[in-house]
Amino acid sequence: MEILVHRQLASHLQPHPRDEAALGFGDIYTDHVFKLDYYDGAWRNPRIEPFGPLLLSPAAMVLHYSQTIFEGLKCYRHPDGRLALFRPRDNFTRFNSSASRMAIPNLDEAFLLQALKELLKIDGDWTPAHPGSSLYIRPTVIATEAHLGVRPAKEYLFFIIMGPVGPYYPGGFAPIKIYVENFYSRSAPGGLGAIKAGASYAGSLLATELAAQKGYTQLLWLDSVSHKLVEEVGSMNMFFVLDGTIVTAPLTGTILPGVTRACVLAVARDLGLRAEERPLTIEEILAAQKSGALGESFGSGTAAVISPVGKLCYQNEEIVIGDGGVGPITQKIYDELVGVQYGTRPDIRGWVEFVS
Ligand code: COI
Protein backbone atom coordinates (compact mmCIF):
# COMPACT_ATOMS: atom_id res chain seq x y z
CA MET A 1 0.00 0.00 0.00
CA GLU A 2 1.41 3.38 -1.01
CA ILE A 3 0.10 6.17 1.21
CA LEU A 4 -0.08 9.83 0.35
CA VAL A 5 2.78 11.54 2.18
CA HIS A 6 4.07 14.93 1.08
CA ARG A 7 7.86 14.75 0.78
CA GLN A 8 10.30 17.61 1.18
CA LEU A 9 13.77 16.08 1.03
CA ALA A 10 16.83 17.51 2.77
CA SER A 11 19.12 19.49 0.46
CA HIS A 12 22.14 18.54 2.55
CA LEU A 13 22.56 14.96 3.84
CA GLN A 14 24.49 14.27 7.05
CA PRO A 15 27.48 11.89 6.87
CA HIS A 16 26.71 8.45 8.35
CA PRO A 17 28.74 7.40 11.42
CA ARG A 18 32.15 6.19 10.30
CA ASP A 19 32.66 3.59 13.03
CA GLU A 20 29.53 1.49 13.63
CA ALA A 21 31.31 -0.40 16.42
CA ALA A 22 31.59 2.87 18.40
CA LEU A 23 27.90 3.81 18.25
CA GLY A 24 26.32 4.88 21.53
CA PHE A 25 22.61 5.40 22.17
CA GLY A 26 20.45 8.33 21.17
CA ASP A 27 22.78 11.04 19.87
CA ILE A 28 22.65 10.66 16.08
CA TYR A 29 19.57 11.21 13.92
CA THR A 30 18.81 10.44 10.28
CA ASP A 31 18.15 13.15 7.69
CA HIS A 32 14.35 13.12 7.76
CA VAL A 33 11.37 13.09 10.09
CA PHE A 34 7.76 12.01 9.49
CA LYS A 35 5.11 14.40 10.84
CA LEU A 36 1.35 14.61 11.26
CA ASP A 37 -0.68 17.48 12.74
CA TYR A 38 -3.88 17.25 14.73
CA TYR A 39 -6.35 20.14 14.72
CA ASP A 40 -10.08 20.67 14.16
CA GLY A 41 -10.70 17.13 15.43
CA ALA A 42 -8.57 15.12 12.97
CA TRP A 43 -5.00 14.02 12.20
CA ARG A 44 -3.84 15.76 9.00
CA ASN A 45 -0.96 16.68 6.71
CA PRO A 46 1.20 13.53 6.62
CA ARG A 47 4.62 14.65 5.47
CA ILE A 48 8.30 13.82 5.47
CA GLU A 49 10.60 16.78 6.10
CA PRO A 50 14.29 17.36 6.76
CA PHE A 51 15.24 16.69 10.40
CA GLY A 52 15.43 19.99 12.25
CA PRO A 53 14.24 22.04 15.24
CA LEU A 54 10.52 22.45 15.92
CA LEU A 55 8.80 25.80 16.09
CA LEU A 56 6.71 25.78 19.29
CA SER A 57 4.87 28.45 21.26
CA PRO A 58 6.33 28.88 24.77
CA ALA A 59 2.73 28.32 25.86
CA ALA A 60 2.57 24.90 24.11
CA MET A 61 0.76 22.67 26.58
CA VAL A 62 3.37 19.91 26.41
CA LEU A 63 5.88 22.30 27.97
CA HIS A 64 3.65 22.96 30.97
CA TYR A 65 1.58 19.86 31.59
CA SER A 66 3.69 17.12 29.94
CA GLN A 67 0.95 15.87 27.64
CA THR A 68 3.27 13.71 25.58
CA ILE A 69 3.85 10.02 24.88
CA PHE A 70 6.41 8.06 22.91
CA GLU A 71 7.38 4.62 21.65
CA GLY A 72 10.67 2.91 20.97
CA LEU A 73 11.23 0.22 18.35
CA LYS A 74 14.08 -0.99 16.21
CA CYS A 75 14.96 -1.83 12.62
CA TYR A 76 17.74 -4.38 12.06
CA ARG A 77 19.90 -5.10 9.03
CA HIS A 78 19.78 -8.80 8.13
CA PRO A 79 22.75 -10.65 6.63
CA ASP A 80 21.18 -10.40 3.13
CA GLY A 81 21.01 -6.59 3.57
CA ARG A 82 17.22 -6.47 4.06
CA LEU A 83 15.77 -4.14 6.69
CA ALA A 84 13.66 -5.84 9.34
CA LEU A 85 11.36 -4.12 11.81
CA PHE A 86 10.81 -6.07 15.02
CA ARG A 87 7.16 -6.36 16.14
CA PRO A 88 6.29 -2.82 15.00
CA ARG A 89 2.54 -3.43 15.23
CA ASP A 90 2.81 -4.11 18.96
CA ASN A 91 4.53 -0.77 19.47
CA PHE A 92 1.85 1.14 17.57
CA THR A 93 -0.90 -0.64 19.51
CA ARG A 94 0.79 0.34 22.77
CA PHE A 95 1.20 3.86 21.41
CA ASN A 96 -2.57 4.17 21.17
CA SER A 97 -3.10 2.81 24.66
CA SER A 98 -0.62 5.41 25.92
CA ALA A 99 -2.50 8.06 23.92
CA SER A 100 -5.85 7.06 25.42
CA ARG A 101 -4.48 7.29 28.99
CA MET A 102 -3.05 10.75 28.30
CA ALA A 103 -6.26 12.05 26.67
CA ILE A 104 -4.49 12.28 23.29
CA PRO A 105 -6.54 11.38 20.17
CA ASN A 106 -5.74 7.90 18.84
CA LEU A 107 -3.99 7.36 15.51
CA ASP A 108 -4.55 4.80 12.73
CA GLU A 109 -2.02 2.06 13.53
CA ALA A 110 -1.85 0.63 9.98
CA PHE A 111 -1.31 4.13 8.62
CA LEU A 112 1.52 4.77 11.10
CA LEU A 113 3.26 1.55 10.08
CA GLN A 114 3.01 2.53 6.41
CA ALA A 115 4.29 6.00 7.21
CA LEU A 116 7.26 4.49 9.05
CA LYS A 117 8.00 2.30 6.04
CA GLU A 118 7.88 5.38 3.78
CA LEU A 119 10.37 7.10 6.07
CA LEU A 120 12.58 4.00 5.99
CA LYS A 121 12.52 4.00 2.18
CA ILE A 122 14.28 7.36 2.40
CA ASP A 123 16.48 6.95 5.49
CA GLY A 124 16.66 3.15 5.90
CA ASP A 125 20.24 3.13 4.61
CA TRP A 126 21.20 4.59 8.00
CA THR A 127 20.52 1.13 9.52
CA PRO A 128 23.92 -0.12 10.71
CA ALA A 129 25.10 -3.70 10.14
CA HIS A 130 27.53 -4.09 13.04
CA PRO A 131 26.46 -6.76 15.59
CA GLY A 132 24.65 -5.09 18.49
CA SER A 133 23.70 -2.03 16.46
CA SER A 134 20.35 -1.10 14.91
CA LEU A 135 18.22 1.83 13.82
CA TYR A 136 16.24 3.07 16.82
CA ILE A 137 12.84 4.53 15.95
CA ARG A 138 11.09 7.02 18.20
CA PRO A 139 7.41 7.84 17.43
CA THR A 140 6.22 10.71 19.66
CA VAL A 141 3.18 12.93 20.19
CA ILE A 142 3.32 16.34 21.84
CA ALA A 143 0.50 18.75 22.72
CA THR A 144 1.26 21.87 20.69
CA GLU A 145 -1.75 24.04 21.49
CA ALA A 146 -0.79 27.35 23.12
CA HIS A 147 -3.02 27.39 26.19
CA LEU A 148 -2.42 27.48 29.93
CA GLY A 149 -5.71 26.13 31.28
CA VAL A 150 -5.40 22.54 32.44
CA ARG A 151 -7.34 20.34 29.98
CA PRO A 152 -6.47 18.06 27.04
CA ALA A 153 -4.99 20.07 24.17
CA LYS A 154 -6.89 20.54 20.93
CA GLU A 155 -3.74 20.55 18.79
CA TYR A 156 -0.92 17.99 18.59
CA LEU A 157 2.14 17.09 16.57
CA PHE A 158 3.02 13.45 15.90
CA PHE A 159 6.51 12.73 14.63
CA ILE A 160 8.86 9.84 14.03
CA ILE A 161 12.60 10.38 14.34
CA MET A 162 15.21 7.67 13.89
CA GLY A 163 18.89 7.16 14.56
CA PRO A 164 21.59 4.48 14.42
CA VAL A 165 22.38 3.10 17.89
CA GLY A 166 24.77 0.73 19.58
CA PRO A 167 24.33 -0.81 23.03
CA TYR A 168 22.14 1.13 25.50
CA TYR A 169 24.62 0.51 28.31
CA PRO A 170 28.23 1.22 27.32
CA GLY A 171 29.23 -2.25 28.58
CA GLY A 172 26.78 -3.94 26.15
CA PHE A 173 25.54 -7.41 27.17
CA ALA A 174 27.31 -7.43 30.54
CA PRO A 175 26.00 -7.65 34.13
CA ILE A 176 24.85 -4.38 35.67
CA LYS A 177 24.60 -3.37 39.34
CA ILE A 178 21.15 -2.44 40.61
CA TYR A 179 20.04 -0.38 43.62
CA VAL A 180 16.70 -1.39 45.15
CA GLU A 181 14.79 1.88 45.62
CA ASN A 182 12.98 1.95 48.93
CA PHE A 183 11.60 5.50 48.98
CA TYR A 184 10.88 6.97 45.54
CA SER A 185 8.24 5.35 43.31
CA ARG A 186 8.08 4.98 39.55
CA SER A 187 4.35 4.43 39.31
CA ALA A 188 1.21 4.04 41.40
CA PRO A 189 -2.11 2.21 40.97
CA GLY A 190 -4.19 4.27 38.56
CA GLY A 191 -1.09 6.20 37.47
CA LEU A 192 1.07 6.21 34.35
CA GLY A 193 3.25 3.14 34.93
CA ALA A 194 1.67 1.03 32.18
CA ILE A 195 2.21 3.57 29.40
CA LYS A 196 5.12 5.39 27.81
CA ALA A 197 4.55 8.90 29.12
CA GLY A 198 7.53 11.24 29.19
CA ALA A 199 6.37 12.33 32.67
CA SER A 200 7.09 8.86 34.14
CA TYR A 201 10.67 9.01 32.94
CA ALA A 202 11.13 12.55 34.28
CA GLY A 203 9.90 11.34 37.68
CA SER A 204 12.53 8.59 37.71
CA LEU A 205 15.56 10.81 37.14
CA LEU A 206 16.38 12.01 40.65
CA ALA A 207 16.30 8.57 42.28
CA THR A 208 18.35 7.14 39.40
CA GLU A 209 20.95 9.91 39.80
CA LEU A 210 21.18 9.25 43.55
CA ALA A 211 21.74 5.55 42.86
CA ALA A 212 24.37 6.39 40.23
CA GLN A 213 26.23 8.46 42.83
CA LYS A 214 26.39 5.27 44.95
CA GLY A 215 27.81 3.36 41.96
CA TYR A 216 24.66 1.63 40.65
CA THR A 217 23.69 1.57 36.95
CA GLN A 218 19.94 1.39 37.51
CA LEU A 219 17.18 1.14 40.09
CA LEU A 220 14.94 -1.74 40.95
CA TRP A 221 11.55 -0.13 41.51
CA LEU A 222 9.27 -1.53 44.20
CA ASP A 223 5.51 -0.99 44.27
CA SER A 224 4.47 2.37 45.65
CA VAL A 225 2.01 1.02 48.25
CA SER A 226 3.82 -1.68 50.24
CA HIS A 227 7.38 -1.05 48.96
CA LYS A 228 7.75 -4.83 48.93
CA LEU A 229 6.75 -5.99 45.44
CA VAL A 230 9.38 -6.01 42.72
CA GLU A 231 8.21 -4.04 39.66
CA GLU A 232 10.68 -2.78 37.03
CA VAL A 233 14.39 -2.21 36.68
CA GLY A 234 15.24 1.24 35.35
CA SER A 235 13.22 1.53 32.15
CA MET A 236 13.08 -2.26 31.70
CA ASN A 237 10.91 -5.16 32.84
CA MET A 238 12.57 -7.34 35.48
CA PHE A 239 13.06 -11.11 35.44
CA PHE A 240 14.41 -13.52 38.04
CA VAL A 241 15.28 -17.19 37.60
CA LEU A 242 14.18 -19.00 40.75
CA ASP A 243 14.94 -22.73 40.90
CA GLY A 244 15.02 -22.75 37.10
CA THR A 245 11.65 -20.98 36.72
CA ILE A 246 11.56 -17.57 35.08
CA VAL A 247 9.47 -15.15 37.12
CA THR A 248 8.36 -11.61 36.29
CA ALA A 249 5.81 -9.26 37.79
CA PRO A 250 2.25 -9.43 36.40
CA LEU A 251 0.75 -6.62 34.29
CA THR A 252 -1.50 -5.13 36.95
CA GLY A 253 -1.41 -1.57 35.66
CA THR A 254 1.75 -0.25 37.30
CA ILE A 255 4.15 -2.03 34.95
CA LEU A 256 4.90 -1.37 31.29
CA PRO A 257 3.65 -4.19 29.03
CA GLY A 258 7.04 -4.53 27.35
CA VAL A 259 7.23 -5.98 23.86
CA THR A 260 10.59 -7.53 24.80
CA ARG A 261 8.99 -8.81 28.03
CA ALA A 262 6.39 -10.66 25.93
CA CYS A 263 9.19 -12.03 23.71
CA VAL A 264 11.16 -13.29 26.73
CA LEU A 265 8.13 -15.15 28.09
CA ALA A 266 7.42 -16.71 24.67
CA VAL A 267 11.04 -17.72 24.06
CA ALA A 268 11.39 -19.13 27.59
CA ARG A 269 8.29 -21.30 27.11
CA ASP A 270 9.51 -22.42 23.66
CA LEU A 271 12.81 -23.44 25.28
CA GLY A 272 10.80 -25.68 27.60
CA LEU A 273 11.33 -23.46 30.64
CA ARG A 274 8.63 -22.65 33.18
CA ALA A 275 7.74 -18.95 33.01
CA GLU A 276 5.49 -17.31 35.58
CA GLU A 277 3.90 -13.87 35.80
CA ARG A 278 3.20 -13.40 39.48
CA PRO A 279 3.78 -10.93 42.29
CA LEU A 280 7.14 -11.42 43.97
CA THR A 281 8.58 -9.57 46.92
CA ILE A 282 12.07 -8.32 47.55
CA GLU A 283 12.16 -10.57 50.65
CA GLU A 284 11.49 -13.60 48.45
CA ILE A 285 14.42 -12.60 46.25
CA LEU A 286 16.74 -12.14 49.23
CA ALA A 287 15.65 -15.47 50.75
CA ALA A 288 16.15 -17.20 47.39
CA GLN A 289 19.64 -15.75 47.14
CA LYS A 290 20.48 -17.09 50.63
CA SER A 291 19.09 -20.56 49.87
CA GLY A 292 20.78 -20.73 46.49
CA ALA A 293 17.48 -20.72 44.56
CA LEU A 294 18.18 -17.38 42.87
CA GLY A 295 20.19 -18.37 39.83
CA GLU A 296 19.93 -15.40 37.50
CA SER A 297 18.30 -12.05 36.93
CA PHE A 298 17.96 -9.72 33.96
CA GLY A 299 16.06 -6.73 32.64
CA SER A 300 14.37 -6.61 29.24
CA GLY A 301 13.53 -3.65 27.04
CA THR A 302 13.71 -2.45 23.46
CA ALA A 303 16.79 -0.32 23.96
CA ALA A 304 19.00 -2.77 25.88
CA VAL A 305 17.13 -5.95 24.70
CA ILE A 306 18.43 -8.08 27.63
CA SER A 307 20.54 -6.68 30.44
CA PRO A 308 21.92 -9.22 32.92
CA VAL A 309 21.89 -8.14 36.56
CA GLY A 310 24.98 -9.17 38.51
CA LYS A 311 24.40 -7.46 41.86
CA LEU A 312 21.54 -5.98 43.88
CA CYS A 313 21.82 -3.58 46.80
CA TYR A 314 18.90 -3.50 49.26
CA GLN A 315 19.07 -1.46 52.47
CA ASN A 316 22.85 -1.19 52.35
CA GLU A 317 23.32 -4.93 51.83
CA GLU A 318 24.78 -5.97 48.48
CA ILE A 319 24.00 -9.43 47.15
CA VAL A 320 25.56 -11.20 44.19
CA ILE A 321 23.19 -12.98 41.81
CA GLY A 322 24.42 -16.41 40.75
CA ASP A 323 28.14 -15.98 40.17
CA GLY A 324 27.68 -12.31 39.24
CA GLY A 325 28.10 -13.10 35.54
CA VAL A 326 25.69 -13.87 32.69
CA GLY A 327 23.61 -16.93 33.58
CA PRO A 328 22.97 -19.78 31.11
CA ILE A 329 19.20 -19.14 30.82
CA THR A 330 19.74 -15.41 30.28
CA GLN A 331 22.28 -16.26 27.59
CA LYS A 332 19.94 -18.75 25.84
CA ILE A 333 17.05 -16.28 25.74
CA TYR A 334 19.34 -13.48 24.58
CA ASP A 335 20.82 -15.64 21.79
CA GLU A 336 17.38 -16.62 20.46
CA LEU A 337 15.93 -13.11 20.63
CA VAL A 338 18.92 -11.40 19.07
CA GLY A 339 19.23 -14.19 16.47
CA VAL A 340 15.65 -13.55 15.30
CA GLN A 341 16.14 -9.78 15.37
CA TYR A 342 19.32 -9.93 13.27
CA GLY A 343 18.04 -12.68 10.96
CA THR A 344 20.57 -15.34 11.94
CA ARG A 345 17.83 -17.55 13.43
CA PRO A 346 14.46 -18.38 11.81
CA ASP A 347 11.50 -16.12 12.65
CA ILE A 348 9.15 -18.94 13.66
CA ARG A 349 6.86 -16.60 15.62
CA GLY A 350 6.15 -13.99 12.92
CA TRP A 351 7.87 -11.14 14.76
CA VAL A 352 9.88 -9.76 11.88
CA GLU A 353 8.37 -7.35 9.35
CA PHE A 354 10.50 -6.52 6.33
CA VAL A 355 10.57 -3.02 4.89
CA SER A 356 10.03 -3.16 1.15
C1 COI B 1 13.11 0.52 26.46
O1 COI B 1 14.18 -0.05 26.36
O2 COI B 1 12.07 -0.08 26.14
C2 COI B 1 13.02 1.89 26.94
O3 COI B 1 11.94 2.31 27.21
C3 COI B 1 14.24 2.70 27.08
C4 COI B 1 14.11 4.04 26.46
C5 COI B 1 13.31 4.98 27.30
C6 COI B 1 15.46 4.61 26.15
Side-chain angles (χ1 to χ4, degrees):
M1 177 179 66
E2 184 87 353
I3 56 166
L4 205 60
V5 174
H6 181 262
R7 288 174 182 75
Q8 182 207 337
L9 298 187
S11 52
H12 174 75
L13 300 182
Q14 298 298 319
H16 291 200
R18 248 186 272 141
D19 184 4
E20 288 187 353
L23 282 170
F25 185 90
D27 297 314
I28 302 172
Y29 308 99
T30 69
D31 295 303
H32 297 91
V33 50
F34 173 81
K35 289 182 183 168
L36 268 178
D37 301 316
Y38 182 94
Y39 57 87
D40 289 346
W43 288 102
R44 302 158 191 279
N45 309 334
R47 60 200 184 278
I48 289 173
E49 292 178 352
F51 186 97
L54 300 175
L55 195 61
L56 268 189
S57 165
M61 293 174 83
V62 63
L63 302 177
H64 301 271
Y65 308 127
S66 303
Q67 200 189 6
T68 174
I69 54 160
F70 69 93
E71 263 304 323
L73 64 155
K74 282 178 170 173
C75 180
Y76 297 88
R77 191 176 286 284
H78 278 198
D80 61 4
R82 283 197 295 172
L83 300 183
L85 288 164
F86 191 72
R87 303 191 71 169
R89 290 163 202 270
D90 298 272
N91 289 91
F92 285 125
T93 300
R94 190 173 63 184
F95 195 75
N96 267 340
S97 77
S98 297
S100 298
R101 175 64 182 83
M102 294 298 273
I104 292 172
N106 274 25
L107 294 104
D108 181 327
E109 292 166 28
F111 180 83
L112 291 187
L113 182 55
Q114 272 315 113
L116 170 58
K117 289 181 177 174
E118 295 294 320
L119 185 61
L120 283 164
K121 277 186 204 164
I122 297 171
D123 278 354
D125 61 343
W126 281 82
T127 309
H130 189 267
S133 67
S134 57
L135 190 71
Y136 186 74
I137 298 164
R138 173 55 65 90
T140 305
V141 174
I142 58 171
T144 49
E145 187 192 356
H147 179 73
L148 295 185
V150 179
R151 59 156 171 74
K154 294 177 183 155
E155 293 166 16
Y156 299 88
L157 174 69
F158 169 88
F159 58 83
I160 302 176
I161 55 172
M162 313 192 293
V165 297
Y168 188 70
Y169 295 114
F173 183 62
I176 55 172
K177 277 173 68 177
I178 299 294
Y179 185 81
V180 184
E181 179 54 54
N182 213 11
F183 176 72
Y184 294 105
S185 297
R186 176 190 163 273
S187 88
L192 304 180
I195 64 158
K196 286 191 92 72
S200 297
Y201 294 79
S204 74
L205 299 177
L206 173 64
T208 310
E209 276 302 291
L210 295 174
Q213 284 166 17
K214 296 185 189 112
Y216 294 90
T217 321
Q218 273 300 347
L219 292 183
L220 175 60
W221 296 104
L222 302 177
D223 76 286
S224 61
V225 179
S226 70
H227 292 282
K228 296 280 179 231
L229 296 168
V230 168
E231 293 208 322
E232 292 193 15
V233 55
S235 53
M236 296 180 286
N237 294 113
M238 183 75 179
F239 288 83
F240 293 94
V241 182
L242 300 170
D243 277 330
T245 297
I246 296 203
V247 187
T248 194
L251 300 177
T252 51
T254 54
I255 286 173
L256 195 80
V259 175
T260 315
R261 175 187 182 278
C263 293
V264 168
L265 289 170
V267 167
R269 287 170 183 146
D270 288 351
L271 289 172
L273 298 164
R274 268 198 320 273
E276 293 176 356
E277 296 168 73
R278 66 164 173 87
L280 78 173
T281 62
I282 187 68
E283 277 100 357
E284 181 181 346
I285 300 303
L286 298 178
Q289 196 263 349
K290 287 203 171 69
S291 73
L294 174 62
E296 306 176 33
S297 172
F298 59 89
S300 76
T302 299
V305 188
I306 299 284
S307 212
V309 174
K311 284 182 184 162
L312 274 185
C313 178
Y314 181 61
Q315 294 181 338
N316 295 324
E317 193 193 334
E318 195 168 86
I319 62 163
V320 177
I321 299 178
D323 62 3
V326 179
I329 290 178
T330 309
Q331 184 74 53
K332 263 192 195 165
I333 292 174
Y334 174 81
D335 288 344
E336 171 65 8
L337 206 44
V338 168
V340 175
Q341 289 172 335
Y342 285 91
T344 57
R345 291 200 180 184
D347 174 31
I348 54 171
R349 305 169 191 92
W351 287 345
V352 168
E353 178 135 357
F354 288 104
V355 179
S356 53

XYZ file of all heavy atoms in Angstrom, residues 10 20 53 80-81 88 151 161 176 185 199 215 218 242-243 257 277 295 311 330 344:
150
model
N 15.750 16.640 2.292
C 16.834 17.512 2.770
C 17.778 17.852 1.611
O 18.109 16.969 0.804
C 17.594 16.801 3.884
N 30.773 2.054 13.068
C 29.530 1.489 13.630
C 29.779 0.799 14.964
O 28.888 0.713 15.802
C 28.907 0.495 12.645
C 28.296 1.161 11.436
C 27.547 0.182 10.553
O 27.597 -1.037 10.802
O 26.902 0.666 9.604
N 14.940 21.579 14.038
C 14.239 22.039 15.240
C 12.760 22.277 14.971
O 12.367 22.573 13.842
C 14.928 23.367 15.580
C 16.166 23.416 14.774
C 15.983 22.519 13.602
N 21.372 -10.613 4.577
C 21.183 -10.396 3.131
C 20.972 -8.909 2.804
O 20.654 -8.565 1.669
C 20.007 -11.233 2.609
C 18.680 -10.855 3.285
O 18.659 -9.892 4.093
O 17.658 -11.521 3.014
N 21.116 -8.037 3.802
C 21.009 -6.594 3.570
C 19.609 -6.055 3.787
O 19.405 -4.845 3.844
N 6.693 -4.228 14.995
C 6.291 -2.816 15.001
C 4.815 -2.614 15.352
O 4.451 -1.605 15.951
C 6.580 -2.346 13.567
C 6.546 -3.606 12.752
C 7.072 -4.688 13.645
N -6.371 21.217 30.668
C -7.340 20.336 29.981
C -6.591 19.685 28.823
O -5.482 20.125 28.482
C -8.537 21.148 29.453
C -8.142 22.250 28.484
C -9.298 22.631 27.553
N -9.012 23.814 26.776
C -8.190 23.878 25.739
N -7.501 22.806 25.363
N -8.016 25.000 25.075
N 11.185 10.158 14.627
C 12.595 10.385 14.343
C 13.314 9.045 14.492
O 12.802 8.119 15.135
C 13.229 11.456 15.267
C 13.026 11.104 16.746
C 12.660 12.841 14.961
C 13.777 12.015 17.709
N 24.895 -5.707 35.067
C 24.849 -4.375 35.671
C 24.540 -4.503 37.169
O 24.051 -5.545 37.636
C 23.809 -3.459 34.977
C 22.415 -4.101 34.960
C 24.257 -3.101 33.564
C 21.313 -3.169 34.462
N 9.039 6.313 44.086
C 8.240 5.349 43.309
C 8.236 5.737 41.841
O 8.274 6.916 41.508
C 6.788 5.342 43.799
O 6.756 4.917 45.134
N 6.420 11.919 31.262
C 6.368 12.325 32.668
C 6.886 11.226 33.599
O 7.538 11.512 34.606
C 4.937 12.695 33.041
N 27.116 4.343 42.798
C 27.815 3.360 41.955
C 26.909 2.339 41.289
O 27.391 1.310 40.810
N 21.392 1.215 37.611
C 19.943 1.391 37.510
C 19.291 1.105 38.847
O 19.922 0.591 39.763
C 19.353 0.436 36.460
C 19.363 0.977 35.032
C 18.566 2.270 34.878
O 17.802 2.654 35.760
N 18.756 2.955 33.759
N 14.260 -18.418 39.414
C 14.177 -19.003 40.753
C 13.988 -20.506 40.606
O 12.963 -20.945 40.054
C 12.991 -18.410 41.524
C 13.022 -16.895 41.752
C 11.700 -16.404 42.310
C 14.169 -16.511 42.673
N 14.978 -21.274 41.056
C 14.937 -22.734 40.903
C 14.626 -23.116 39.460
O 13.799 -24.017 39.210
C 13.876 -23.346 41.847
C 14.431 -23.551 43.250
O 15.658 -23.785 43.370
O 13.642 -23.427 44.207
N 3.757 -2.916 29.758
C 3.653 -4.191 29.034
C 4.703 -4.236 27.916
O 4.425 -3.937 26.758
C 2.213 -4.173 28.475
C 1.814 -2.729 28.452
C 2.680 -1.980 29.432
N 4.171 -15.293 35.543
C 3.905 -13.870 35.799
C 3.149 -13.839 37.124
O 1.983 -14.221 37.175
C 3.043 -13.280 34.686
C 3.713 -13.287 33.336
C 2.744 -12.970 32.215
O 2.339 -11.806 32.074
O 2.381 -13.918 31.493
N 19.090 -18.058 40.749
C 20.188 -18.372 39.831
C 20.619 -17.184 38.995
O 21.814 -16.955 38.783
N 24.452 -7.761 40.428
C 24.404 -7.461 41.864
C 23.188 -6.616 42.172
O 22.760 -5.803 41.343
C 25.646 -6.659 42.276
C 26.886 -7.487 42.393
C 28.045 -6.634 42.842
C 29.318 -7.475 42.866
N 30.509 -6.647 42.878
N 19.693 -16.764 30.846
C 19.741 -15.408 30.282
C 20.415 -15.461 28.913
O 19.938 -14.871 27.936
C 20.556 -14.473 31.214
O 20.047 -14.601 32.539
C 20.492 -13.034 30.763
N 19.667 -14.180 11.982
C 20.565 -15.340 11.940
C 19.869 -16.594 12.480
O 20.413 -17.683 12.435
C 21.854 -15.081 12.758
O 21.464 -14.748 14.093
C 22.668 -13.954 12.153
